[in-house]
Amino acid sequence: MALINDDSEIEYVVSAELRLADRQIRNSRADSAALLDADFREFGASGRVWDRESILDMMSDDISSAPTIDHVTAARLAPTVIHVTYRTRSKERTAVRSSIWLLRDGSWNLYFHQGTVQHETATQDDN
């Protein structure tokens, strides 16, 4: 994992991001909800736009196998904003992903996520 700087809040946010790929966390509405901002939005790799309630519904029923995650990077964009990027690989697709985490009321929560399908001809340098 390549972090832009050594920062315990960045480490926490990356860890929280990766927990959202864990099926046990995803299938627990309470555990997932604790990581999502009240104003959460996602532009999914599927092309679907998700809000907080719709993504919690989907994740609670998700039975797919967890993806492989690599090329994780993170950077603090502002005192209360951390940007995380990474790639996921599953049987269905490879996607590059980007997340914005916000610090509100003393808690880091995922505010925005976007997944973009990566075609077979793309290389890591294309990210």
Side-chain angles (χ1 to χ4, degrees), residues 28-54:
S28 168
R29 189 176 186 92
D31 289 344
S32 295
L35 297 172
L36 300 182
D37 189 84
D39 297 323
F40 173 82
R41 292 289 181 271
E42 175 174 336
F43 298 160
S46 65
R48 182 169 175 181
V49 177
W50 305 86
D51 63 13
R52 187 173 193 270
E53 289 304 311
S54 64

Side-chain angles (χ1 to χ4, degrees), residues 2-58:
L3 300 179
I4 300 303
N5 57 33
D6 187 20
D7 180 320
S8 63
E9 288 182 310
I10 288 177
E11 289 177 17
Y12 169 80
V13 165
V14 168
S15 173
E17 180 80 39
L18 298 177
R19 283 196 310 273
L20 283 168
D22 179 294
R23 291 301 170 241
Q24 187 173 356
I25 300 297
R26 290 175 74 81
N27 293 151
S28 168
R29 189 176 186 92
D31 289 344
S32 295
L35 297 172
L36 300 182
D37 189 84
D39 297 323
F40 173 82
R41 292 289 181 271
E42 175 174 336
F43 298 160
S46 65
R48 182 169 175 181
V49 177
W50 305 86
D51 63 13
R52 187 173 193 270
E53 289 304 311
S54 64
I55 201 74
L56 288 170
D57 289 344
M58 184 279 291

Side-chain angles (χ1 to χ4, degrees):
M1 180 180 328
L3 300 179
I4 300 303
N5 57 33
D6 187 20
D7 180 320
S8 63
E9 288 182 310
I10 288 177
E11 289 177 17
Y12 169 80
V13 165
V14 168
S15 173
E17 180 80 39
L18 298 177
R19 283 196 310 273
L20 283 168
D22 179 294
R23 291 301 170 241
Q24 187 173 356
I25 300 297
R26 290 175 74 81
N27 293 151
S28 168
R29 189 176 186 92
D31 289 344
S32 295
L35 297 172
L36 300 182
D37 189 84
D39 297 323
F40 173 82
R41 292 289 181 271
E42 175 174 336
F43 298 160
S46 65
R48 182 169 175 181
V49 177
W50 305 86
D51 63 13
R52 187 173 193 270
E53 289 304 311
S54 64
I55 201 74
L56 288 170
D57 289 344
M58 184 279 291
M59 289 192 307
S60 67
D61 293 332
D62 188 3
I63 60 169
S64 63
S65 59
T68 300
I69 297 173
D70 60 15
H71 299 292
V72 179
T73 62
R76 185 181 293 273
L77 302 180
T80 61
V81 181
I82 294 176
H83 181 223
V84 179
T85 62
Y86 57 101
R87 180 175 58 189
T88 58
R89 295 174 185 269
S90 67
K91 286 189 237 179
E92 296 81 29
R93 66 177 162 246
T94 297
V96 290
R97 300 188 176 272
S98 177
S99 294
I100 302 293
W101 287 75
L102 298 181
L103 179 63
R104 290 196 214 202
D105 301 322
S107 179
W108 284 100
N109 293 105
L110 180 56
Y111 173 76
F112 178 78
H113 180 80
Q114 180 166 352
T116 303
V117 173
Q118 186 176 34
H119 299 286
E120 294 300 319
T121 58
T123 66
Q124 176 57 29
D125 294 335
D126 293 334
N127 292 343

